[in-house]
Amino acid sequence: MRRARSITIRDVAHEARVSVASASRALNGADGVTEAMRERVLSAARRLRYVPHSGARILSTRRTNTFGVILPDLYGEFFSEIIRGADTAARAHGKHLLLSSSHDGADAVAEVIRSMRGRVDGLLVMSPHIDAQLLADSLADDLPMVLLNTEVEGGRHPCFRVDNYAGAFAAARHLAERARLVAHIAGPLNNSEAEERCRGWRDALGETAGPLLQGDFTEESGFLAGQDLARMSPRPDAVFAANDTMAVGCLAALAEAGIAVPDAMAVAGFDDIPIARLMRPSLTTVSARIADLSRRALERLARLVDTPDTLNDLLETVRPEVIVRGSSRVDPQSRHSNGEQG
Amino acid sequence: MRRARSITIRDVAHEARVSVASASRALNGADGVTEAMRERVLSAARRLRYVPHSGARILSTRRTNTFGVILPDLYGEFFSEIIRGADTAARAHGKHLLLSSSHDGADAVAEVIRSMRGRVDGLLVMSPHIDAQLLADSLADDLPMVLLNTEVEGGRHPCFRVDNYAGAFAAARHLAERARLVAHIAGPLNNSEAEERCRGWRDALGETAGPLLQGDFTEESGFLAGQDLARMSPRPDAVFAANDTMAVGCLAALAEAGIAVPDAMAVAGFDDIPIARLMRPSLTTVSARIADLSRRALERLARLVDTPDTLNDLLETVRPEVIVRGSSRVDPQSRHSNGEQG
DNA sequence: CTGTTAGCGCCTTCAC
DNA sequence: GTGAAGGCGCTAACAG
């Protein structure tokens, strides 16, 4: 546990009997160095187990080789997917990822962003909280930034977003094809994604929209909503949850209440988290390939950092796709469901 | 996108008409500063939208306020849980988290660790790869470090681990109570956790252990194993998967093959990832409360950084617990299963 | 209480 | 090709 003074480039230079400048050049593979000297420096470094101090390098190069990722939370499959996508891209570029959860609230995000100055080259920010607008204003412009599913008017930063409205609209329509009354379990208030999805559901169904249950994206809230649903009369025969996590909770409640899915009640979620496919019945959902989205967002950020370029392609919208699975299949694997010839 | 020269403490000092030192003191809430001056500096900082440059601060304070977390992968519920625990602790201490996946291999880990010098105050490392030993040797001692489920002989670093052997042993025993032949789906080769779990299974059953199927902790490998299992004759009537993810895949394969769980085959996994509870049937598993473990490991790391203290409590082992659920219940919710009066 | 000075470890002109 | 010197932004002695 002894924490000795760590060895610096000076030590290496001394050991190799060259100047610090030359050592630096050799270490960084800069040209203008004799092969002999380079070898001497490198071997000295090896002998001393020299490891460059990133803090110092950051200060002098003004490069951190790190991207900050700010998410509302780090918990659960959804954010795990986002992290995975970002990580994939970061690795590909040899960059680090500085992670932070903001737990909602634009001021919290602003604070986190502040604390990241000087330790990241750029930011990937997801802040679905409705007052993200405040955010935009309080942002320093001196840090490249890419937004993810974050509604901001000013539009100075590239933004990758899922068309939540269209996805929800399609899902609701799908359910309406087989059901008379389609309920909705909404996400948290003041969340722009939740709002868009709710709006999509409502617009898709018009007057025939079923009851609206308030949730908060957690599984538990989905469970409670499922219990409410089970007690209703007339009972809706379909429900669209604003995310998969709530849909999963809802399924559990329905199973407990002895309500058959999809026969007595069809269920659909949103996000296509990995577990959706694995539920029994498997969960119909709306997929936006979120890991892919975050990967591309980080790629974009990397480009932005390298070349603070033109303002084009500021907004990229992904049109999600309904994935029909067991929880809403009209005729659940009757005979060979492959033969779609009529 | 203009990236102006960012404003430094010098600008603030100038604006407030004080020296840089005083500005620094005022900004950092150090005492020995007139209230008037502090106010002047703070307001200047606000006016200029000054944000301190962490890189510089790191260099001069030799403190990064960041912990590095090195995991084999960032993907899936298991690692998501670990991240969550670490994040919880980090937030509580106002620290950042620098995340990195190493994708196995001790040399990869060593490389990642190298690259983290000067940007973290300490490291939380999980490297179940069997040659973690190499790791231990190549480690610089000048960075506080806490290990997670990582087998290293030298024992110079605090280590938090799950007793994989005991957990697997107990799970296998549990299955053996209701089954004649208990198969095992193993994790990847050269993974110490997988090995321990396999050993626990074998020792629990002795000669009566069923077939051993090779997996790699992925859901797909569990699925394939499940298919194999379905074809076997004599067919095992229970299977213990080395992690939940594979168990989930296995369940899917069994369902597809029309094998009833738990009646025709009991299934158990390991880790108690969130989804385990949500499967139908819900998945019997071994829980080590992994999020809690990583949280505590990070707490320990924080203490270690603050006080490079004594070497005691170097190893903390969690004895995991079998959680019996539907996939292995002898009498699946017959009548009111609460009344355990006989 | 405040300002001056000297680094933190590294990179990068600029002379030689 | 190589070395000396200055500076990145900030903090931490030390004087005043």
Side-chain angles (χ1 to χ4, degrees), chain A residues 229-291:
Chain A
L229 229 37
R231 284 194 225 98
M232 289 181 175
S233 94
R235 191 207 292 149
D237 52 349
V239 56
F240 167 51
N243 75 349
D244 285 349
T245 306
M246 293 195 297
V248 165
C250 181
L251 280 179
L254 294 178
E256 215 166 72
I259 298 179
V261 173
D263 297 324
M265 172 122 41
V267 178
F270 204 115
D271 288 338
D272 194 23
I273 59 180
I275 178 185
R277 189 170 49 78
L278 302 170
M279 298 294 300
R280 301 281 131 174
S282 55
L283 180 66
T284 290
T285 186
V286 181
S287 166
R289 316 208 306 126
I290 191 72

XYZ file of all heavy atoms in Angstrom, chain A residues 229-291:
445
model
N -56.077 -2.202 -13.676
C -56.665 -2.654 -14.932
C -57.563 -3.865 -14.703
O -58.675 -3.962 -15.239
C -55.522 -3.031 -15.878
C -55.486 -2.506 -17.299
C -55.990 -1.078 -17.387
C -54.056 -2.589 -17.809
N -57.059 -4.795 -13.903
C -57.771 -6.048 -13.673
C -59.127 -5.809 -13.016
O -60.076 -6.541 -13.225
C -56.920 -6.976 -12.818
N -59.191 -4.742 -12.234
C -60.417 -4.464 -11.469
C -61.458 -3.671 -12.250
O -62.589 -3.536 -11.827
C -60.059 -3.649 -10.227
C -59.428 -4.455 -9.118
C -59.425 -3.644 -7.828
N -58.135 -3.754 -7.168
C -57.172 -2.862 -7.262
N -57.348 -1.777 -7.989
N -56.022 -3.048 -6.649
N -61.024 -3.106 -13.358
C -61.914 -2.190 -14.059
C -63.102 -2.887 -14.697
O -63.027 -4.041 -15.092
C -61.154 -1.461 -15.155
C -60.177 -0.443 -14.620
S -59.352 0.377 -15.993
C -58.405 1.588 -15.086
N -64.177 -2.151 -14.780
C -65.260 -2.652 -15.594
C -65.978 -1.455 -16.190
O -66.319 -0.526 -15.466
C -66.210 -3.513 -14.756
O -67.276 -2.764 -14.257
N -66.149 -1.410 -17.492
C -65.691 -2.470 -18.383
C -64.179 -2.515 -18.424
O -63.537 -1.472 -18.360
C -66.247 -2.043 -19.744
C -66.329 -0.548 -19.647
C -66.688 -0.255 -18.230
N -63.663 -3.712 -18.528
C -62.227 -3.847 -18.513
C -61.657 -3.700 -19.924
O -62.184 -4.304 -20.863
C -61.851 -5.218 -17.966
C -60.369 -5.317 -17.683
C -59.910 -6.756 -17.778
N -60.475 -7.555 -16.716
C -60.753 -8.847 -16.851
N -60.550 -9.458 -17.990
N -61.249 -9.518 -15.845
N -60.637 -2.878 -20.074
C -59.997 -2.742 -21.389
C -59.495 -4.111 -21.838
O -59.161 -4.951 -21.009
C -58.820 -1.802 -21.119
C -59.155 -1.089 -19.862
C -59.997 -2.024 -19.061
N -59.444 -4.339 -23.115
C -58.917 -5.623 -23.581
C -57.550 -5.454 -24.230
O -57.065 -6.340 -24.936
C -59.897 -6.314 -24.523
C -60.343 -5.407 -25.644
O -60.062 -4.192 -25.560
O -60.960 -5.891 -26.603
N -56.955 -4.310 -23.990
C -55.574 -4.109 -24.442
C -54.980 -2.957 -23.647
O -55.703 -2.079 -23.177
C -55.519 -3.794 -25.931
N -53.656 -3.000 -23.506
C -52.994 -1.906 -22.803
C -51.632 -1.638 -23.435
O -50.894 -2.558 -23.776
C -52.851 -2.202 -21.294
C -52.101 -3.508 -21.062
C -52.133 -1.053 -20.589
N -51.381 -0.365 -23.603
C -50.093 0.044 -24.162
C -49.319 0.755 -23.050
O -49.728 1.804 -22.565
C -50.314 0.981 -25.354
C -49.074 1.705 -25.803
C -47.898 1.004 -26.062
C -49.071 3.091 -25.973
C -46.752 1.666 -26.476
C -47.933 3.757 -26.389
C -46.765 3.041 -26.635
N -48.205 0.170 -22.654
C -47.387 0.770 -21.600
C -46.313 1.633 -22.242
O -45.767 1.285 -23.283
C -46.756 -0.318 -20.739
N -46.015 2.735 -21.603
C -45.081 3.696 -22.189
C -43.639 3.186 -22.219
O -42.797 3.771 -22.901
C -45.153 5.026 -21.454
N -43.350 2.149 -21.471
C -42.065 1.477 -21.667
C -42.169 -0.005 -21.301
O -43.150 -0.438 -20.682
C -40.926 2.174 -20.901
C -40.962 1.902 -19.411
O -41.930 1.362 -18.895
N -39.904 2.303 -18.738
N -41.172 -0.764 -21.686
C -41.219 -2.208 -21.466
C -41.213 -2.567 -19.993
O -41.866 -3.517 -19.565
C -40.023 -2.879 -22.147
C -40.196 -2.951 -23.646
O -41.318 -2.685 -24.128
O -39.210 -3.275 -24.340
N -40.451 -1.807 -19.242
C -40.341 -2.131 -17.819
C -41.714 -2.131 -17.156
O -42.053 -3.040 -16.399
C -39.424 -1.107 -17.129
O -38.186 -1.068 -17.842
C -39.157 -1.503 -15.698
N -42.510 -1.130 -17.463
C -43.863 -1.097 -16.893
C -44.718 -2.213 -17.469
O -45.535 -2.808 -16.765
C -44.514 0.259 -17.151
C -43.851 1.403 -16.397
S -44.851 2.900 -16.369
C -44.946 3.304 -18.101
N -44.531 -2.511 -18.748
C -45.300 -3.583 -19.370
C -45.014 -4.905 -18.659
O -45.920 -5.705 -18.408
C -44.956 -3.694 -20.851
N -43.759 -5.096 -18.306
C -43.378 -6.318 -17.611
C -44.077 -6.404 -16.255
O -44.608 -7.445 -15.874
C -41.840 -6.365 -17.428
C -41.456 -7.411 -16.403
C -41.175 -6.659 -18.763
N -44.071 -5.307 -15.544
C -44.762 -5.280 -14.263
C -46.245 -5.542 -14.435
O -46.863 -6.291 -13.677
N -46.787 -4.971 -15.466
C -48.201 -5.141 -15.750
C -48.519 -6.607 -16.051
O -49.500 -7.157 -15.554
C -48.593 -4.254 -16.929
S -50.331 -4.341 -17.368
N -47.684 -7.231 -16.833
C -47.882 -8.647 -17.155
C -47.931 -9.487 -15.887
O -48.759 -10.389 -15.752
C -46.736 -9.152 -18.047
C -46.817 -8.819 -19.534
C -45.594 -9.367 -20.258
C -48.087 -9.416 -20.142
N -47.039 -9.179 -14.972
C -47.009 -9.934 -13.719
C -48.328 -9.775 -12.969
O -48.898 -10.745 -12.467
C -45.841 -9.470 -12.858
N -48.819 -8.542 -12.919
C -50.079 -8.296 -12.211
C -51.229 -9.030 -12.884
O -52.084 -9.616 -12.216
C -50.359 -6.798 -12.161
N -51.229 -9.003 -14.200
C -52.311 -9.673 -14.928
C -52.273 -11.173 -14.682
O -53.303 -11.810 -14.475
C -52.201 -9.369 -16.424
C -52.421 -7.905 -16.807
C -52.234 -7.708 -18.306
C -53.807 -7.445 -16.385
N -51.062 -11.731 -14.710
C -50.932 -13.166 -14.480
C -51.465 -13.512 -13.097
O -52.199 -14.484 -12.918
C -49.466 -13.582 -14.616
N -51.129 -12.677 -12.152
C -51.567 -12.921 -10.786
C -53.085 -12.847 -10.674
O -53.696 -13.572 -9.899
C -50.937 -11.872 -9.871
C -50.589 -12.395 -8.506
C -49.689 -11.433 -7.777
O -50.197 -10.377 -7.362
O -48.479 -11.722 -7.641
N -53.654 -11.952 -11.463
C -55.102 -11.777 -11.411
C -55.821 -12.801 -12.285
O -57.044 -12.790 -12.398
C -55.469 -10.364 -11.851
N -55.053 -13.653 -12.917
C -55.660 -14.692 -13.730
C -56.227 -14.199 -15.049
O -57.119 -14.815 -15.623
N -55.716 -13.085 -15.511
C -56.182 -12.576 -16.797
C -55.251 -13.048 -17.906
O -54.049 -12.768 -17.867
C -56.238 -11.042 -16.771
C -57.245 -10.605 -15.698
C -56.589 -10.490 -18.143
C -57.360 -9.129 -15.556
N -55.791 -13.751 -18.861
C -54.961 -14.356 -19.896
C -54.458 -13.308 -20.887
O -55.211 -12.457 -21.352
C -55.746 -15.428 -20.638
N -53.179 -13.402 -21.164
C -52.576 -12.537 -22.180
C -52.094 -13.430 -23.311
O -51.428 -14.429 -23.052
C -51.384 -11.762 -21.582
C -50.649 -10.990 -22.667
C -51.835 -10.838 -20.469
N -52.435 -13.150 -24.532
C -53.133 -11.961 -25.010
C -54.654 -12.132 -25.145
O -55.313 -11.188 -25.549
C -52.533 -11.774 -26.403
C -52.304 -13.171 -26.869
C -51.951 -13.980 -25.651
N -55.177 -13.299 -24.816
C -56.584 -13.535 -25.127
C -57.543 -12.568 -24.448
O -58.408 -11.982 -25.093
C -56.943 -14.985 -24.775
C -56.148 -15.960 -25.636
O -55.924 -15.622 -26.825
O -55.734 -17.010 -25.139
N -57.370 -12.400 -23.137
C -58.277 -11.488 -22.454
C -57.758 -10.055 -22.485
O -58.518 -9.098 -22.407
C -58.473 -11.938 -21.009
N -56.454 -9.939 -22.598
C -55.879 -8.596 -22.657
C -54.559 -8.623 -23.426
O -53.656 -9.385 -23.097
C -55.629 -8.063 -21.241
C -54.873 -6.760 -21.204
S -55.709 -5.400 -20.367
C -56.429 -6.140 -18.936
N -54.505 -7.812 -24.443
C -53.264 -7.698 -25.205
C -52.386 -6.641 -24.546
O -52.894 -5.686 -23.967
C -53.561 -7.317 -26.643
N -51.083 -6.836 -24.633
C -50.164 -5.914 -23.965
C -49.028 -5.533 -24.916
O -48.505 -6.379 -25.645
C -49.570 -6.552 -22.696
C -48.570 -5.613 -22.038
C -50.669 -6.949 -21.715
N -48.676 -4.269 -24.895
C -47.509 -3.835 -25.663
C -46.708 -2.839 -24.842
O -47.255 -2.120 -24.006
C -47.940 -3.194 -26.981
N -45.409 -2.826 -25.082
C -44.538 -1.892 -24.376
C -43.780 -1.008 -25.350
O -44.198 -0.832 -26.493
N -42.654 -0.485 -24.896
C -41.864 0.409 -25.730
C -40.413 0.312 -25.311
O -40.116 0.322 -24.107
C -42.348 1.848 -25.562
C -42.034 2.763 -26.724
C -43.051 3.318 -27.491
C -40.708 3.063 -27.050
C -42.769 4.166 -28.558
C -40.422 3.905 -28.116
C -41.445 4.455 -28.873
N -39.534 0.191 -26.269
C -38.067 0.184 -26.100
C -37.391 -1.085 -26.611
O -36.236 -1.055 -27.015
C -37.600 0.367 -24.642
C -37.809 1.772 -24.128
O -37.910 2.683 -24.964
O -37.877 1.949 -22.895
N -38.125 -2.188 -26.528
C -37.533 -3.475 -26.883
C -36.256 -3.743 -26.104
O -35.200 -4.000 -26.672
C -37.236 -3.567 -28.384
C -36.940 -5.003 -28.810
O -37.380 -5.927 -28.105
O -36.252 -5.189 -29.831
N -36.351 -3.682 -24.805
C -35.212 -4.079 -23.983
C -35.052 -5.588 -24.104
O -36.004 -6.296 -24.458
C -35.400 -3.667 -22.510
C -36.654 -4.291 -21.908
C -35.459 -2.153 -22.413
C -36.860 -3.903 -20.451
N -33.883 -6.104 -23.850
C -33.605 -7.522 -24.088
C -34.615 -8.474 -23.461
O -34.973 -9.490 -24.047
C -32.223 -7.706 -23.457
C -31.568 -6.371 -23.574
C -32.672 -5.375 -23.424
N -35.073 -8.119 -22.282
C -35.992 -9.018 -21.597
C -37.321 -9.180 -22.319
O -37.999 -10.197 -22.170
C -36.262 -8.496 -20.168
C -37.252 -9.384 -19.438
C -36.757 -7.086 -20.206
C -37.628 -8.852 -18.084
N -37.703 -8.216 -23.134
C -39.017 -8.244 -23.782
C -39.213 -9.538 -24.565
O -40.256 -10.171 -24.513
C -39.175 -7.038 -24.702
N -38.200 -9.907 -25.250
C -38.229 -11.106 -26.080
C -38.350 -12.369 -25.231
O -38.804 -13.412 -25.685
C -36.918 -11.132 -26.864
C -36.777 -12.122 -27.935
C -35.516 -11.805 -28.746
N -34.338 -11.595 -27.905
C -33.628 -12.574 -27.345
N -33.984 -13.815 -27.518
N -32.578 -12.297 -26.609
N -37.921 -12.256 -23.983
C -37.805 -13.445 -23.150
C -38.983 -13.690 -22.233
O -39.083 -14.730 -21.604
C -36.543 -13.326 -22.297
C -35.263 -13.145 -23.102
C -34.114 -12.802 -22.183
C -34.982 -14.399 -23.901
N -39.867 -12.738 -22.150
C -41.027 -12.935 -21.293
C -41.895 -14.051 -21.872
O -41.804 -14.384 -23.050
C -41.850 -11.644 -21.230
C -41.131 -10.458 -20.645
S -40.742 -10.693 -18.919
C -42.391 -10.898 -18.239
N -42.735 -14.613 -21.000
C -43.744 -15.549 -21.460
C -45.082 -14.994 -21.063
O -45.347 -14.905 -19.877
C -43.562 -16.932 -20.842
C -42.246 -17.581 -21.112
C -42.233 -18.175 -22.476
N -41.011 -17.746 -23.186
C -40.652 -18.202 -24.376
N -41.401 -19.066 -25.000
N -39.575 -17.774 -24.948
N -45.976 -14.589 -21.917
C -45.704 -14.522 -23.354
C -44.684 -13.436 -23.640
O -44.528 -12.517 -22.860
C -47.074 -14.148 -23.928
C -47.743 -13.406 -22.833
C -47.292 -14.067 -21.574
N -44.012 -13.590 -24.755
C -43.037 -12.572 -25.134
C -43.775 -11.260 -25.391
O -44.946 -11.255 -25.751
C -42.280 -13.023 -26.373
O -43.171 -13.334 -27.408
N -43.054 -10.178 -25.188
C -43.715 -8.871 -25.164
C -43.647 -8.118 -26.491
O -42.570 -7.852 -27.021
C -43.074 -8.019 -24.071
C -43.618 -6.609 -23.880
C -45.054 -6.648 -23.393
C -42.747 -5.834 -22.915
N -44.815 -7.788 -26.976
C -44.889 -6.904 -28.142
C -44.384 -5.538 -27.720
O -44.694 -5.058 -26.636
C -46.344 -6.788 -28.614
O -46.747 -8.034 -29.189
C -46.482 -5.688 -29.658
N -43.603 -4.914 -28.590
C -43.004 -3.651 -28.177
C -42.655 -2.791 -29.380
O -42.883 -3.178 -30.518
C -41.751 -3.917 -27.320
O -41.246 -2.687 -26.814
C -40.679 -4.591 -28.152
N -42.105 -1.643 -29.099
C -41.669 -0.737 -30.151
C -40.152 -0.627 -30.058
O -39.626 -0.266 -29.013
C -42.297 0.655 -29.981
C -41.854 1.570 -31.102
C -43.812 0.544 -29.945
N -39.497 -0.971 -31.136
C -38.041 -1.001 -31.084
C -37.418 0.178 -31.812
O -37.763 0.495 -32.938
C -37.530 -2.291 -31.721
O -36.147 -2.175 -31.959
N -36.480 0.821 -31.142
C -35.768 1.915 -31.798
C -34.275 1.598 -31.837
O -33.469 2.462 -32.125
C -36.010 3.214 -31.069
N -33.940 0.388 -31.525
C -32.542 -0.029 -31.539
C -31.690 1.030 -30.837
O -30.837 1.696 -31.411
C -32.082 -0.226 -32.973
C -33.169 -0.993 -33.766
C -32.654 -1.806 -34.909
N -31.860 -1.060 -35.844
C -30.642 -1.399 -36.198
N -30.071 -2.459 -35.664
N -29.993 -0.680 -37.077
N -31.941 1.121 -29.584
C -31.400 2.200 -28.793
C -29.881 2.128 -28.638
O -29.183 3.150 -28.626
C -32.106 2.244 -27.416
C -31.756 3.501 -26.661
C -31.782 1.026 -26.610
C -32.396 4.721 -27.229
N -29.359 0.906 -28.530
C -27.905 0.770 -28.396
C -27.233 1.303 -29.653
O -26.203 1.980 -29.598
C -27.523 -0.695 -28.171
